[in-house]
Amino acid sequence: QVQLVESGGGSVQAGGSLRLSCAASGLTLSNYNMGWFRQAPGKEREFVAAVTKNGGLTLHGDSVKGRFTISRDNAKNTVYLQMNSLKPEDTAVYYCAAAVTYYISRRAFDYEYWGQGTQVTVSS
């Protein structure tokens, strides 16, 4: 059974850092473009970052450019989101997702598999 499990979330003070991990099972991660999304209470789901199958190309949402970095280790079947200079507005549940598209997508619709999410809370 396909499963994506996020980890690494928690509480951090503004300006701090966290690294999220998404471990995949039941699929070969190298066959999928991967993405991170987040959703805060009362807000719509927001695209955070995406990376191509071989890690050669990345895309980051405007709100996180220069602060967050997506990466992947296909040998470990894991994708990461390094989050630096965290702000209170980054507080959200963060989800990883796997897409069968041939391109990086910012649209949640393009992602077939989703994790359950991990909470990130940034205090001021």
Side-chain angles (χ1 to χ4, degrees):
Q1 193 72 31
V2 173
Q3 189 172 23
L4 302 176
V5 180
E6 302 95 336
S7 63
S11 298
V12 65
Q13 193 170 340
S17 298
L18 287 172
R19 189 181 78 157
L20 305 184
S21 298
C22 176
S25 61
L27 60 80
T28 301
L29 200 67
S30 61
N31 292 330
Y32 295 84
N33 294 317
M34 298 296 297
W36 285 96
F37 292 79
R38 67 186 183 185
Q39 189 162 22
K43 296 184 178 180
E44 64 183 2
R45 184 163 44 183
E46 178 186 16
F47 171 77
V48 175
V51 59
T52 51
K53 297 173 183 178
N54 64 357
L57 180 65
T58 62
L59 181 66
H60 297 83
D62 290 341
S63 64
V64 304
K65 286 180 180 178
R67 300 188 300 118
F68 292 9
T69 304
I70 189 172
S71 62
R72 64 193 298 159
D73 187 340
N74 288 338
K76 296 181 178 179
N77 237 34
T78 302
V79 62
Y80 305 96
L81 184 69
Q82 179 66 47
M83 305 185 295
N84 299 325
S85 301
L86 283 161
K87 304 174 181 179
E89 50 263 45
D90 295 319
T91 296
V93 177
Y94 284 71
Y95 301 90
C96 69
V100 296
T101 60
Y102 295 103
Y103 53 90
I104 291 182
S105 177
R106 307 172 78 101
R107 303 190 307 164
F109 176 83
D110 288 326
Y111 291 82
E112 183 175 1
Y113 301 110
W114 291 82
Q116 293 298 309
T118 185
Q119 177 70 47
V120 172
T121 302
V122 184
S123 60
S124 60

